[in-house]
Amino acid sequence: MKDVLITYSGYLLAVIGFIFGYFQLRLRKKYEQESKMLDMRYHTYREYLSKLDRINEELRVKYTDLNEVFCDVFAKILQNPHDNSPLIEMNKKVSEMSIQATNAFSKTYQELNGLRLVCSKDMLKILDEYRSLSKSQLDDMSTFFSQIDFTNPNPTSQATQTLQAKYNRLDELKKQLEDLMRRELNADN
């Protein structure tokens, strides 16, 4: 009886050990996959946010340059009201800046594609709103530039308020994205 009990207890221990080892292996693989996904998200999120910050900074510099162009053109017009060359020069610079702004937003859209692959559904909603709002702002900026009244150096307050409101909303969405990214990466713990 003792021999049978010892033999079967050995088999039983071997089966229990195998099952325990199997579940341990499965759990380890699961945690490794989660860790890899978390690491991939972290790198994607970090890369996207740094590029987004760089693009936004470039756009801010461009608009500062645009202000300088306007001031320079209006000073030249005041010096010689019959010379059209400052207006032609300004149109070229405004065109170049519009193209650069469009390229910057295009880069942002390309970066969104990579982010969309690894983000959650909640983040995807924010990204969709960010994308549509940034396209709308780009269209509004183009309209704004095309409707500048050169006889009045002060732009309409409604147009600038609309652009500012959209820029503020984009900034809010960026902060929401950062908060959601932190939550998804468990960085708030």
Side-chain angles (χ1 to χ4, degrees), residues 82-96:
H82 303 292
D83 185 15
N84 287 337
S85 63
L87 292 175
I88 294 169
E89 178 185 336
M90 184 178 76
N91 280 335
K92 286 181 186 176
K93 288 184 179 180
V94 167
S95 245
E96 289 172 11

Side-chain angles (χ1 to χ4, degrees), residues 12 16 29 32 44 61 69 72 88 101 103 159 179:
L12 184 63
I16 290 173
K29 282 187 176 186
E32 284 176 357
T44 304
V61 169
V69 168
D72 185 43
I88 294 169
N103 289 339
D179 290 342

Side-chain angles (χ1 to χ4, degrees), residues 1-184:
M1 176 89 164
K2 284 185 177 180
D3 291 337
V4 173
L5 192 60
I6 290 174
T7 305
Y8 286 119
S9 65
Y11 290 134
L12 184 63
L13 284 174
V15 169
I16 290 173
F18 176 76
I19 292 172
F20 181 72
Y22 175 77
F23 282 118
Q24 234 180 357
L25 182 66
R26 295 284 297 180
L27 283 174
R28 191 176 96 221
K29 282 187 176 186
K30 177 185 175 193
Y31 288 129
E32 284 176 357
Q33 287 175 342
E34 288 175 359
S35 177
K36 285 179 184 178
M37 183 63 169
L38 196 63
D39 192 44
M40 182 176 59
R41 281 185 174 179
Y42 169 75
H43 289 294
T44 304
Y45 293 171
R46 184 185 69 186
E47 184 180 325
Y48 175 73
L49 288 175
S50 65
K51 287 181 181 182
L52 186 62
D53 286 340
R54 190 184 75 241
I55 290 167
N56 286 337
E57 187 59 35
E58 286 175 11
L59 289 175
R60 282 189 198 109
V61 169
K62 300 295 181 215
Y63 296 121
T64 304
D65 294 345
L66 185 64
N67 253 350
E68 291 174 10
V69 168
F70 284 146
C71 291
D72 185 43
V73 166
F74 287 118
K76 288 178 182 178
I77 289 173
L78 289 174
Q79 289 173 354
N80 188 358
H82 303 292
D83 185 15
N84 287 337
S85 63
L87 292 175
I88 294 169
E89 178 185 336
M90 184 178 76
N91 280 335
K92 286 181 186 176
K93 288 184 179 180
V94 167
S95 245
E96 289 172 11
M97 289 179 180
S98 294
I99 289 170
Q100 290 170 350
T102 303
N103 289 339
F105 277 106
S106 178
K107 286 180 189 177
T108 303
Y109 298 149
Q110 291 170 1
E111 293 303 317
L112 279 176
N113 291 334
L115 183 60
R116 293 169 66 90
L117 293 175
V118 296
C119 72
S120 65
K121 290 181 181 180
D122 293 335
M123 190 178 297
L124 194 57
K125 290 176 187 176
I126 296 173
L127 288 174
D128 288 339
E129 183 181 353
Y130 188 93
R131 187 176 197 159
S132 66
L133 189 61
S134 61
K135 282 182 181 180
S136 173
Q137 183 179 14
L138 189 60
D139 292 341
D140 288 352
M141 286 178 2
S142 296
T143 304
F144 175 76
F145 288 141
S146 68
Q147 295 176 349
I148 292 176
D149 181 6
F150 296 110
T151 60
N152 180 9
N154 298 320
T156 63
S157 62
Q158 182 180 358
T160 54
Q161 286 174 355
T162 302
L163 287 172
Q164 186 62 41
K166 286 186 179 181
Y167 181 78
N168 290 342
R169 179 63 183 149
L170 284 171
D171 198 40
E172 288 173 19
L173 288 173
K174 182 180 177 271
K175 288 176 184 171
Q176 287 178 7
L177 280 172
E178 289 172 350
D179 290 342
L180 195 54
M181 287 175 181
R182 289 183 61 78
R183 268 189 273 137
E184 287 185 8

